[in-house]
Amino acid sequence: MTMDALDDLDRIWDRHGTGSLKWDGARARFGAEVLPMWVADMDLPTAPVVLEALRRRLEHPILGYPWLDHEYLTAASQWMRQRHGWGPETGQTLVASGVVPALFAAVRALSAIEDTVLVLTPVYPPFLQAVRSNGRRLRTLPLEPDAEGVYRIPWEQLADALSGARLLLFCSPHNPVGRVWSAEELSSLVELCRSRGVRVVSDEIHADLSQLPHTPLPRLMPEAVLLSAPGKAFNMAGLGGAFLSCGDEEARRLLREELERSQCQHATLPALVGGIAAWREGGPWLEGIRSYLRGHALYLAARLAADLPALGFRPPEFGYLAWLDLRRYGQDDERIDAVLREVGLGLNAGADFGPGGAGFRRLNFGCPRPLLQAGLDRLQRALDLLSPPA
Ligand SMILES: Cc1ncc(COP(=O)(O)O)c(C=O)c1O
């Protein structure tokens, strides 16, 4: 497959029987046959440069332990510098098996049992689990949509919520509310966190799919911990692999020790080979994917505005995750689930994303256009079955 793959993105690939969580695991998750528009991987081919690098590597028949960490981290730093105008020094980076294991390890490394950890919700559910399952106190602060439906940080409440907290787990860009935080917003956040002595862990795994300029948090706050991976942008989540960076030497030592204690300081051979290829050679392909997804987001917004205006939908500022407010169609989440099952549509339940999520659903539109159209037909049927807004 070559760059021509970008001309064929509307092609539907049958993923059944490929061991896909999204497709093969959908019946177990939803209790029905659904069109799965939930977990965050795309129904589009993985970046061809990644597939080619894996194929090349498989020409050698021995798949032993890898020795590629340095190349992986160098490629990651260079990629970030070129793409986002800031990249970590390679001496300040560490390999991890995935962003989620790294997030859990960061909580253990940089806080103690019973410490308070703040999370802005609704948010990717492992943020909540990383705090709870490690015996820290979870403090949540809901983001607030403004009059245009743009989610904002409630600054006054944030100042209070940071008091007495040890860590802030921050999602930038923010899954699921669709925001790419501006440099101004990030500067205000840094100022408040510094004034209250709160360390920030910034998960930036969606940054490469931003439709707006993305500012890596450590550019403004070198002592922050950055977590990222090529899994989302290049659609290679099944391989795992991630990196951390932190400009504070002592915090970095604690992170390294915790990664080793929990034995998640390695990435697999395919993750390393694929990641290096993605960062070194995947830029042009990624541009094509971003523009394809931008087209989807605009299509989605136009169609929802025309057919389901009560949703008041705003397209996300990055990636392929749409956050749908179904509250005007009824407050009963179970009834909404039943209707979605009836029409055969598998979406993520908003309640799983913590306070502020109930009554919402997350729709993954990282798929060929015909699948998106079919999904929206089903969504429309579902909302017709629910009590229409007055
Ligand atoms: C914000 C965020 N972080 C991390 C992940 C997953 O990271 P990994 O597969 O590297 O553990 C996701 C996946 O959806 C995500 O949305």
Side-chain angles (χ1 to χ4, degrees):
M1 195 187 289
T2 63
M3 287 291 291
D4 300 343
L6 286 172
D7 296 331
D8 200 20
L9 293 174
D10 283 341
R11 169 170 172 186
I12 296 176
W13 295 81
D14 183 359
R15 297 181 67 189
H16 287 108
T18 62
S20 152
L21 171 62
K22 191 183 195 179
W23 288 82
D24 296 319
R27 174 164 265 289
R29 166 90 179 200
F30 296 100
E33 285 307 323
V34 293
L35 178 59
M37 302 184 89
W38 62 300
V39 64
D41 69 27
M42 296 193 275
D43 301 319
L44 304 171
T46 296
V49 292
V50 173
L51 299 176
E52 276 160 27
L54 293 174
R55 260 188 228 111
R56 252 192 329 271
R57 178 60 187 82
L58 287 176
E59 277 166 18
H60 193 289
I62 303 176
L63 300 175
Y65 293 118
W67 176 254
L68 286 168
D69 285 12
H70 182 71
E71 270 180 69
Y72 185 78
L73 294 174
T74 304
S77 295
Q78 282 173 355
W79 168 261
M80 285 205 60
R81 217 163 290 141
Q82 281 160 13
R83 186 134 200 113
H84 303 297
W86 176 91
E89 301 299 319
T90 40
Q92 301 184 345
T93 50
L94 299 165
V95 170
S97 56
V99 168
V100 171
L103 184 71
F104 276 56
V107 167
R108 288 191 298 273
L110 302 175
S111 69
I113 297 276
E114 299 278 313
D115 275 352
T116 296
V117 180
L118 179 64
V119 174
L120 305 180
T121 63
V123 75
Y124 179 58
F127 276 52
L128 309 168
Q129 290 146 14
V131 183
R132 290 200 187 105
S133 66
N134 283 307
R136 274 63 174 169
R137 289 177 204 272
L138 175 65
R139 185 177 289 168
T140 54
L141 176 65
L143 298 163
E144 286 175 358
D146 66 14
E148 270 81 54
V150 181
Y151 276 82
R152 303 279 176 196
I153 295 173
W155 295 106
E156 280 179 26
Q157 290 97 313
L158 178 65
D160 290 341
L162 285 169
S163 297
R166 172 76 59 170
L167 276 182
L168 167 65
L169 304 186
F170 190 60
C171 197
S172 180
H174 194 110
N175 169 16
V177 305
R179 283 301 316 283
V180 174
W181 303 112
S182 69
E184 291 72 30
E185 286 170 307
L186 294 174
S187 298
S188 305
L189 183 87
V190 168
E191 198 179 310
L192 271 181
C193 290
R194 279 210 178 119
S195 72
R196 288 170 174 65
V198 177
R199 167 104 48 200
V200 185
V201 177
S202 185
D203 174 344
E204 305 192 4
I205 194 171
H206 291 278
D208 295 332
L209 290 171
S210 290
Q211 303 288 358
L212 298 174
H214 166 79
T215 306
L217 188 68
R219 189 168 141 196
L220 307 176
M221 194 187 208
E223 69 274 28
V225 181
L226 174 137
L227 312 178
S228 196
K232 296 287 158 212
F234 298 96
N235 206 30
M236 47 189 277
L239 301 185
F243 68 95
L244 290 78
S245 86
C246 180
D248 174 334
E249 196 178 335
E250 172 61 7
R252 204 164 57 242
R253 183 182 65 77
L254 294 169
L255 288 163
R256 181 183 296 111
E257 285 174 6
E258 184 53 48
L259 288 173
E260 286 175 9
R261 200 174 297 125
S262 43
Q263 283 296 298
C264 53
Q265 80 279 34
H266 296 301
T268 64
L269 172 70
L272 296 167
V273 168
I276 291 165
W279 287 321
R280 283 192 186 154
E281 306 162 60
W285 178 86
L286 184 63
E287 280 315 305
I289 287 295
R290 274 199 326 131
S291 111
Y292 188 67
L293 293 176
R294 181 83 198 133
H296 276 18
L298 295 176
Y299 165 78
L300 182 60
R303 186 151 166 202
L304 295 182
D307 299 339
L308 297 165
L311 283 178
F313 176 72
R314 265 191 74 84
E317 295 168 351
F318 69 92
Y320 49 80
L321 303 171
W323 186 234
L324 304 175
D325 183 356
L326 302 193
R327 289 173 303 175
R328 295 190 63 194
Y329 289 86
Q331 298 293 327
D332 182 350
D333 261 338
E334 276 179 32
R335 164 99 181 110
I336 294 177
D337 282 342
V339 166
L340 288 172
R341 244 191 328 273
E342 195 177 323
V343 303
L345 184 59
L347 306 179
N348 285 94
D352 293 347
F353 297 80
F360 286 74
R361 293 293 180 282
R362 194 189 71 176
L363 179 147
N364 174 345
F365 61 86
C367 60
R369 180 66 65 96
L371 280 188
L372 174 56
Q373 286 162 336
L376 293 183
D377 291 345
R378 291 181 190 207
L379 179 67
Q380 186 154 5
R381 234 176 299 139
L383 296 187
D384 286 346
L385 291 171
L386 290 163
S387 57

